[in-house]
């Protein structure tokens, strides 16, 4: 990296931080929004989709809303004690506390789903695209992120998991033209920046990816 | 069909609360029950010869679905008025007759569904795929069924357009998506929806270990089993139109071979599920839903067969003085649960 590149990177970093700090003060989502994958004009994009604009600064029905500087608050009050049983091992040790955004309808807090309704059918292999965790950019020491769903009777299925070892899962299949909700679990209070990427294999066999996008979460 | 429509009105009239408040009005109640009984018998007689299906069948279904609730209301009214079996055994005998007639009508409606070669009940005996093809055929010159059996739908989509609330089935299994008329849309619950009741938390669905058919809340489960993934949407109601930005979806009656419920998936195997609607603990049940929302839940059916679920949406206008109620017409959702 030469001096110019270093300077540019520093400026970009500062701009990002400024935006992030400014947003922290204003945008506390208390509404429905989705991690949004779109495929238009040969481009796979990854961002947020908003529905209502209940919170200050959030645009109405925006399916290209940037996660940059828009951290999602996970309330400390949403603490949950990991049940015992082998099916829960990948969420954490029995009795450990995690903090979650809810799968079921949530009000007065972020209700975060994912959405591929703007990814057409009959385009990608098996009508699936993938959401990948590229890296955990920052997180409290030793903290983990787990995305999972529970079935009709409450049994979990893990979708993404940054826990080291056998539970680790950095990629999930998502059906195209779908919109659903899940549990977003974090193992400790504090700020998380998780770098995601959308990916899809076209029916012809070639692979398309979005750029990497950093999503911020704050358990507070 | 005139007789059926009239019976509907007369039975509805029994609801007037004043009737119940004073014993001297009980004779009116008796007359209404008598009228209801006579018109029910008319309806049953008529249904033997003239009911072919479609709208007429809907009318009968509606009536038969409504009667048990009306009977319950009459009984409540009598309780309030202090009329008991001993003070007026004749009235109670009459009510019982109406109740039995209502049951016959309900059975007749199901039978009529079964008598049409293209009807959902007849389809139960066929291979599932053949059944779906069969059901897509025309039922009568003026209507044809549209059958949905897999993929994403909003079984209830409430919209506010042209100053009216309306209910449709939002079919997202096709691209572009389509809003379908619930009157002619059949939602199939395939045999792969059958699961066993795991523990006592789900006792509202039946005894532990017995079968229940569930369209699941979760998309991955629905997809894995090749089922409909059915939700409820209020995205076509703009913020600010209805008071508190909520709309009530009222589940008024269910006609079916067994119980029907809506519940939310619990967060683990220890937590109780939130029961949103249960046809077996008294209807109507109301699902108060924020506008601009789209949500999913579990749709549970306790036996195979046909379920007719009568719903209505209503809310109060936010911007009109006095916040008057605005209601949709009734919609009858039709589910066919395959064994």
């Amino acid at each position: 990296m030469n001096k110019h590149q270093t300077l540019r990177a520093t400026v970009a970093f500062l701009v990002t931080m400024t935006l992030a700090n400014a947003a922290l003060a204003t945008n506390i989502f208390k509404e429905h929004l989705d991690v949004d994958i779109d495929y238009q004009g040969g481009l796979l994009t990854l961002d947020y989709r908003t529905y209502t604009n209940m919170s200050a600064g959030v645009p109405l029905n925006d399916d290209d809303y940037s996660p940059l500087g828009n951290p999602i608050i996970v309330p400390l009050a949403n603490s949950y004690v990991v049940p015992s049983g082998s099916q829960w091992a990948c969420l954490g040790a029995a009795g450990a506390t995690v903090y979650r955004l809810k799968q079921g309808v949530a009000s007065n807090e972020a209700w975060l789903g994912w959405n591929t309704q703007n990814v057409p059918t009959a385009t990608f292999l098996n009508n699936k695209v993938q959401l990948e965790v590229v890296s955990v950019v920052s997180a409290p020491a030793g903290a983990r992120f787990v995305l999972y769903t529970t079935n009709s009777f409450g049994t979990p299925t893990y979708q993404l998991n940054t826990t080291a070892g056998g539970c680790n899962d950095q990629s999930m299949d998502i059906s195209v033209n779908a919109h659903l909700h899940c549990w977003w679990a974090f193992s400790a209070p504090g700020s998380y920046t998780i770098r995601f990427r959308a990916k899809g294999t076209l029916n012809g066999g070639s692979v398309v990816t979005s750029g990497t996008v950093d999503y911020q979460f704050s358990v507070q | 069909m005139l007789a059926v429509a009239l019976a509907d009105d007369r039975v509805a009239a029994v609801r007037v609360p004043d009737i119940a408040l004073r014993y001297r009005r009980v004779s009116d109640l008796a007359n209404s029950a008598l009228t209801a009984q006579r018109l029910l018998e008319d309806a049953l007689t008529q249904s033997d010869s003239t009911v072919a299906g479609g709208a007429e069948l809907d009318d009968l279904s509606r009536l038969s679905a409504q009667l048990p609730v009306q009977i319950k209301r009459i009984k409540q009214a009598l309780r309030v008025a202090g009329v008991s079996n001993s003070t007026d055994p004749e009235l109670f005998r009459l009510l019982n007759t109406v109740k039995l007639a209502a049951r016959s009508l309900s059975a007749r409606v199901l039978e009529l569904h079964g008598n049409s070669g293209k009807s959902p009940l007849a389809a139960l005996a066929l291979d599932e795929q053949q059944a779906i093809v069969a059901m897509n055929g025309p039922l009568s010159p003026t209507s044809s069924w549209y059958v949905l059996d897999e993929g994403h739908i909003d079984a209830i989509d409430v919209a506010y357009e042209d100053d009216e609330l309306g209910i449709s089935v939002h079919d997202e299994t096709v691209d572009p998506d389509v809003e379908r008329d619930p009157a002619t849309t059949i939602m199939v619950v395939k045999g792969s929806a059958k699961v066993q009741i795991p523990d006592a938390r789900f006792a509202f669905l039946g005894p532990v270990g017995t079968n229940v058919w569930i369209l699941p809340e979760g998309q991955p489960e629905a997809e894995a089993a090749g089922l409909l993934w059915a939700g409820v949407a209020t995205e076509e109601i703009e913020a600010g139109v209805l008071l508190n930005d909520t709309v009530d979806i009222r589940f008024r009656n269910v006609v079916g071979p067994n119980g029907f419920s809506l519940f939310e998936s619990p967060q683990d195997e220890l937590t109780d599920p939130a029961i949103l609607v249960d046809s077996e603990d008294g209807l109507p049940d109301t699902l108060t839903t924020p506008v601009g929302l789209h949500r999913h839940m579990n749709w549970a059916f306790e036996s195979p067969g046909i379920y007719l679920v009568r719903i209505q949406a209503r809310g109060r206008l936010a911007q009109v003085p006095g916040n008057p109620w605005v209601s949709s017409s009734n919609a009858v959702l039709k589910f066919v649960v395959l064994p």
Side-chain angles (χ1 to χ4, degrees):
Chain A
M1 195 179 268
N2 64 30
K3 271 184 182 173
H4 263 115
Q5 285 170 321
T6 307
L7 183 63
R8 212 177 299 149
T10 306
V11 169
F13 175 72
L14 287 173
V15 167
T16 305
M17 290 309 291
T18 309
L19 284 172
N21 288 334
L24 263 174
T26 54
N27 284 5
I28 298 172
F29 296 99
K30 291 184 181 294
E31 58 215 320
H32 177 199
L33 73 168
D34 294 328
V35 168
D36 189 36
I37 300 174
D38 295 343
Y39 183 69
Q40 275 163 336
L43 284 177
L44 206 55
T45 56
L46 179 63
D47 43 43
Y48 279 130
R49 174 173 176 148
T50 69
Y51 294 86
T52 59
N53 52 355
M54 282 188 274
S55 311
V58 178
L60 182 67
N61 294 326
D62 183 350
D63 67 355
D64 294 309
Y65 187 56
S66 173
L68 179 68
N70 289 311
I72 303 278
I73 308 295
V74 182
L76 277 175
N78 288 8
S79 63
Y80 175 68
V81 177
V82 177
S84 54
S86 59
Q87 69 274 32
W88 294 99
C90 284
L91 182 58
T97 298
V98 296
Y99 305 85
R100 305 178 306 174
L101 294 174
K102 293 168 187 164
Q103 173 177 284
V105 181
S107 58
N108 214 28
E109 63 185 61
W111 184 37
L112 185 62
W114 69 74
N115 194 311
T116 58
Q117 286 176 303
N118 288 333
V119 181
T121 52
T123 306
F124 288 97
L125 195 63
N126 302 322
N127 279 320
K128 305 270 189 195
V129 291
Q130 288 75 43
L131 181 64
E132 296 180 341
V133 175
V134 178
S135 63
V136 177
V137 179
S138 64
R144 302 167 301 111
F145 158 67
V146 182
L147 194 149
Y148 69 101
T149 51
T150 45
N151 74 4
S152 302
F153 299 137
T155 304
T157 301
Y158 299 94
Q159 311 287 351
L160 288 174
N161 200 326
T162 67
T163 309
C167 293
N168 191 270
D169 186 356
Q170 309 268 76
S171 176
M172 69 188 271
D173 274 353
I174 302 181
S175 294
V176 304
N177 193 28
H179 166 212
L180 67 140
H181 285 258
C182 50
W183 300 97
W184 302 73
F186 300 85
S187 66
S191 295
Y192 297 70
T193 300
I194 300 170
R195 186 162 292 165
F196 287 102
R197 179 173 70 168
K199 183 176 155 187
T201 304
L202 292 164
N203 281 332
S206 54
V207 174
V208 289
T209 55
S210 71
T212 62
V213 182
D214 290 354
Y215 285 77
Q216 294 167 278
F217 300 88
S218 181
V219 180
Q220 65 184 57
Chain B
M1 293 323 298
L2 187 62
V4 173
L6 186 58
D8 201 355
D9 288 343
R10 291 293 175 86
V11 174
V14 177
R15 277 185 302 182
V16 178
D18 282 354
I19 292 172
L21 297 180
R22 282 177 288 276
Y23 183 73
R24 65 184 169 82
R25 304 291 298 275
V26 167
S27 60
D28 292 347
L29 193 59
N31 283 332
S32 294
L34 265 176
T35 310
Q37 187 209 355
R38 201 180 65 243
L39 293 175
L40 261 177
E41 280 169 3
D42 285 354
L44 284 169
T45 313
Q46 191 187 37
S47 67
D48 284 335
S49 53
T50 62
V51 173
E56 289 124 314
L57 198 48
D58 272 355
D59 275 355
L60 273 182
S61 303
R62 190 158 46 83
L63 179 61
S64 75
Q66 201 177 358
L67 279 167
V69 180
Q70 301 295 7
I71 289 164
K72 202 166 140 188
R73 284 191 177 132
I74 294 173
K75 281 184 168 173
Q76 278 166 355
L78 289 170
R79 230 184 357 259
V80 172
V83 184
S84 69
N85 204 342
S86 56
T87 55
D88 198 335
E90 187 57 21
L91 183 62
F92 274 78
R93 192 197 57 76
L94 184 65
L95 270 178
N96 217 29
T97 310
V98 175
K99 198 173 167 184
L100 288 173
R103 203 173 290 166
S104 313
L105 181 63
S106 173
R108 190 80 190 107
V109 165
L110 284 176
E111 198 183 315
L112 282 165
H113 273 293
N115 280 346
S116 159
K118 297 182 180 70
S119 79
L121 196 64
L124 293 181
L126 303 172
D127 171 76
E128 189 181 307
Q129 200 161 5
Q130 281 177 337
I132 290 161
V133 172
M135 282 189 288
N136 268 315
L139 183 78
S140 74
T142 54
S143 69
S144 65
W145 298 115
Y146 193 89
V147 178
L148 295 164
D149 71 337
E150 183 170 356
H152 182 208
I153 61 166
D154 293 319
I156 303 171
D157 186 6
V158 186
Y160 186 76
E161 285 166 351
D162 303 327
D163 303 331
E164 283 185 353
L165 278 173
I167 297 173
S168 62
V169 175
H170 189 192
D171 177 5
E172 297 191 38
T173 68
V174 290
D175 194 7
D177 51 328
V178 175
E179 280 171 20
R180 301 195 184 281
D181 182 356
T184 53
T185 303
I186 292 174
M187 294 171 272
V188 176
V189 182
K190 293 183 190 171
S192 53
K194 184 169 73 177
V195 290
Q196 277 75 47
I197 296 171
D199 54 61
R201 293 174 302 154
F202 296 91
F204 65 97
L205 299 174
V208 174
T210 56
N211 292 331
V212 61
W213 283 252
I214 296 179
L215 293 179
E217 175 180 311
Q219 191 267 353
E221 292 168 85
E223 188 174 84
L227 296 171
L228 281 176
W229 182 44
V232 169
T234 57
E235 288 162 312
E236 292 174 82
I237 306 174
E238 285 177 25
V241 173
L242 298 180
L243 197 65
N244 303 323
D245 277 328
T246 60
V247 63
D248 286 350
I249 301 169
R250 301 176 73 224
F251 289 73
R252 307 188 69 172
N253 324 98
V254 174
V255 180
N258 207 334
F260 162 82
S261 312
L262 291 181
F263 67 95
E264 282 183 5
S265 297
Q267 62 178 346
D268 51 39
E269 301 99 331
L270 304 170
T271 313
D272 287 335
I275 302 166
L276 307 173
V277 173
D278 186 351
S279 71
E280 291 177 313
D281 68 356
L283 293 176
D285 282 339
T286 300
L287 194 59
T288 299
T289 309
V291 304
L293 190 82
H294 171 214
R295 65 182 290 200
H296 282 256
M297 65 285 286
N298 298 285
W299 302 68
F301 304 85
E302 294 171 23
S303 296
I306 293 178
Y307 292 74
L308 304 173
V309 180
R310 190 161 70 111
I311 58 169
Q312 183 188 40
R314 67 179 195 178
R316 300 179 70 174
L317 293 173
Q319 291 161 18
V320 178
N323 303 119
W325 286 95
V326 57
S327 301
S328 74
S329 10
N330 291 312
V332 180
L333 306 178
K334 298 166 180 67
F335 294 93
V336 175
V337 183
L338 299 170

